[in-house]
Amino acid sequence: MKVKVINQSKHPLPEYQTILSAGLDLRANLDQTVTLGPLERVLIGTGLYMELPAGFEAQIRPRSGLAFKHGLTVLNSPGTIDADYRGEIKVLLVNLSKEAFEIKDGERIAQMVVAKHEQIQWENSSDLTETERGAGGYGSTGKS
């Protein structure tokens, strides 16, 4: 699938890191380093603008290495970019560690997965089909 993109960053377009990768790594597009203190959040621009086709969304997700090693994650994970959005792709990062983290220009800060989606139409009803689980919620299926 081809997606129109405008790259106003100082960096090359995101690429898949391996042939079977689902996500493209997004880079911070900064004029200066940003220091993110413990439990602080910041919106980081990428300098990228895109035009997704109808029926698709882009999901912004954490990079596993940054999350594991530094406690840095995407706060509204996964963040959703709708097909009709034309603004700059930005990443909402939060530092869940006890130490400050420096975000440098060009650093890979998140990954973006493009996925097909459906829109639903509600059908009013007075009952739902019975299942084994029923209304069992959080933890209702057990641990093992």
Side-chain angles (χ1 to χ4, degrees), residues 86-103:
R86 295 295 184 268
E88 181 182 11
I89 297 170
K90 294 183 180 181
V91 178
L92 180 56
L93 292 175
V94 63
N95 180 357
L96 298 178
S97 77
K98 295 179 181 177
E99 298 181 16
F101 183 84
E102 284 190 348
I103 303 165

Side-chain angles (χ1 to χ4, degrees), residues 16-60:
Y16 295 100
Q17 296 298 306
T18 68
I19 195 164
L20 297 178
S21 292
L24 299 148
D25 287 340
L26 297 176
R27 294 182 183 275
N29 189 51
L30 301 169
D31 293 327
Q32 59 189 18
T33 298
V34 172
T35 301
L36 191 56
L39 299 180
E40 287 185 339
R41 60 188 179 270
V42 66
L43 197 57
I44 301 289
T46 65
L48 300 174
Y49 303 75
M50 68 179 172
E51 182 178 325
L52 289 172
F56 287 85
E57 65 160 329
Q59 299 173 2
I60 307 303

